Amino acid sequence: MRWLVTGGLGFIGSNFVRLALREYPTLEIVNLDAMTYAGNPANLRDVEVNGRYQFAHGDICDPDAVRDAIGSGVDAIVNFAAETHVDRSILDPEQFLRTDILGTHVLLEAVRERNIPRYLQVSTDEVYGDVAAGESAESDALCPRSPYSASKAGGDLQVLAYHTTFNVPVMITRGSNTYGPYQYPEKLIPLFITNLIDDQTVPVYGDGLQIRDWLHVEDHARGIMHVLEHGDVGNVYNLGGGNPHTNLSITERLVSGCGRAMKTHVRHVADREGHDRRYAVDSTKAHGIGWSPRVAFEDGLHSTIAWYQANEDWWRPLKSGEFLDYYKRQYAHR
Ligand code: TYD
């Protein structure tokens, strides 16, 4: 069995590659990654020595790079390659459209041309948009509200259209907010943990009462693997963590977990433009094929804090150079 994983140097992708090589003793993985700011070779340093793992440097928007990575053929493509950060999509939308829509199109064309038996698109619950009450089902209309989520929705619609029009064997997973080791420190949880370790304040957008549903990255990676194996072609599967919390309550846990105080370490800053108040997905369909999250939230958060405390060598280099420019652009005016 040989899979092409794209964006495998990113957060969810690298956790997926590590897990898949462990779970399937004969599986070979080719990882096509453009090595953007979030594609970090250090995320898979331990895997590089595995003879069943091969790295290919390239962009999913480049048909030649995709063709070369497929080589003599693969049994599946799992697409993690994406621009993923909402705040960056507000500052610079164009790259999101390129990677998340055009890149998806290039991969779908390759699946079609080479008759690849499975294509799995890793998507997000953000494509449903703000959910005031209840939970989004896979059949709900998409209502994305940021350039990021609109780009991911555009990718999802292409994937489903290729199934309808060309009978390409696709599946989509829509995971909820993911946390755990190897997450680039621009997202809420790793940004706050690393700031707190450094005795800095953490910037809470607006009132902090926005709600996200948190999913541990290992559960997310396992869910994608499970859908790839047990899902039905042409279908979408929500993967929700089942841990809805306000940002403020996450902040309280992180602040106390890092031995700091709310009074001294939390700063309420201007809200994100078009900030979605709440995401919530109904994961009944994924539960129906036998997937459910295993990591208890308190344990997952505790071990994530411990991981960042123990792995300063991993994140410290990331919080320099490009990151500092971004941090200034993103937070200085707030
Ligand atoms: P984020 O990790 O960016 O994920 P997403 O926007 O894709 O859900 O943000 C999670 C929540 O945390 C979101 O409601 C925005 C909020 N947030 C802050 O309050 N401050 C921050 O500095 C960041 C990065 C996020």
Side-chain angles (χ1 to χ4, degrees):
M1 209 164 48
R2 189 164 178 266
W3 294 349
L4 171 61
V5 166
T6 61
L9 290 184
F11 166 47
I12 306 173
S14 62
N15 277 282
F16 175 86
V17 167
R18 188 175 290 104
L19 183 72
L21 288 171
R22 207 167 63 213
E23 294 279 309
Y24 297 100
T26 58
L27 173 68
E28 291 175 19
I29 290 182
V30 186
N31 173 18
L32 176 66
D33 194 292
M35 297 180 74
T36 64
Y37 78 94
N40 182 358
N43 292 6
L44 284 179
R45 201 61 88 206
D46 51 325
V47 166
E48 277 169 2
V49 293
N50 189 321
R52 294 183 286 122
Y53 171 76
Q54 186 197 331
F55 179 69
H57 183 200
D59 186 339
I60 58 167
C61 295
D62 173 2
D64 292 333
V66 172
R67 206 169 294 129
D68 288 351
I70 292 171
S72 59
V74 291
D75 301 292
I77 296 182
V78 187
N79 180 27
F80 293 91
E83 292 292 336
T84 66
H85 192 42
V86 175
D87 293 322
R88 284 188 194 252
S89 83
I90 295 168
L91 294 173
D92 282 315
E94 190 174 323
Q95 192 58 32
F96 286 72
L97 273 73
R98 219 179 94 75
T99 303
D100 301 359
I101 302 178
L102 182 64
T104 298
H105 160 75
V106 170
L107 293 173
L108 289 167
E109 276 297 310
V111 175
R112 189 177 156 212
E113 188 186 302
R114 298 292 301 273
N115 279 322
I116 292 167
R118 282 281 179 283
Y119 175 85
L120 190 146
Q121 175 81 348
V122 178
S123 187
T124 166
D125 63 356
E126 300 194 26
V127 296
Y128 298 115
D130 194 45
V131 190
E135 295 179 329
S136 307
E138 291 84 349
S139 53
D140 284 3
L142 306 189
C143 193
R145 294 165 13 107
S146 73
Y148 160 63
S149 52
S151 302
K152 287 300 287 182
D156 282 17
L157 294 174
Q158 285 299 322
V159 170
L160 295 172
Y162 265 64
H163 178 66
T164 306
T165 311
F166 305 115
N167 207 21
V168 167
V170 304
M171 297 184 263
I172 297 176
T173 55
R174 293 188 181 138
S176 62
N177 275 67
T178 305
Y179 72 101
Y182 298 103
Q183 187 169 30
Y184 190 83
E186 64 188 353
K187 299 276 167 71
L188 177 77
I189 288 182
L191 175 70
F192 281 22
I193 294 173
T194 54
N195 276 12
L196 291 164
I197 291 174
D198 275 347
D199 204 9
Q200 291 173 9
T201 57
V202 297
V204 172
Y205 294 161
D207 60 10
L209 298 179
Q210 306 84 359
I211 293 175
R212 298 290 183 268
D213 173 14
W214 294 95
L215 172 66
H216 192 272
V217 69
E218 205 162 305
D219 282 328
H220 194 163
R222 207 176 280 287
I224 291 164
M225 238 164 53
H226 198 86
V227 169
L228 194 60
E229 218 179 336
H230 303 284
D232 285 329
V233 158
N235 276 255
V236 179
Y237 294 87
N238 288 339
L239 303 174
N243 301 297
H245 294 287
T246 64
N247 293 339
L248 214 46
S249 95
I250 296 293
T251 305
E252 277 163 8
R253 287 171 161 87
L254 298 177
V255 165
S256 79
C258 292
R260 308 292 184 195
M262 291 292 280
K263 226 166 55 199
T264 50
H265 284 75
V266 174
R267 203 162 41 97
H268 282 266
V269 301
D271 208 349
R272 173 186 279 172
E273 297 86 342
H275 198 171
D276 288 336
R277 204 71 189 155
R278 175 175 176 267
Y279 300 132
V281 287
D282 178 345
S283 305
T284 307
K285 198 168 157 184
H287 296 165
I289 59 166
W291 172 82
S292 51
R294 298 178 186 173
V295 180
F297 184 64
E298 300 302 334
D299 296 345
L301 202 61
H302 189 260
S303 63
T304 301
I305 295 173
W307 190 87
Y308 281 88
Q309 284 169 334
N311 288 279
E312 290 194 18
D313 289 358
W314 179 85
W315 60 263
R316 252 186 219 294
L318 302 179
K319 288 191 98 174
S320 63
E322 191 275 345
F323 179 86
L324 292 181
D325 293 342
Y326 162 74
Y327 201 76
K328 214 154 75 195
R329 260 180 98 194
Q330 175 59 29
Y331 294 99
H333 66 282
R334 298 192 123 93

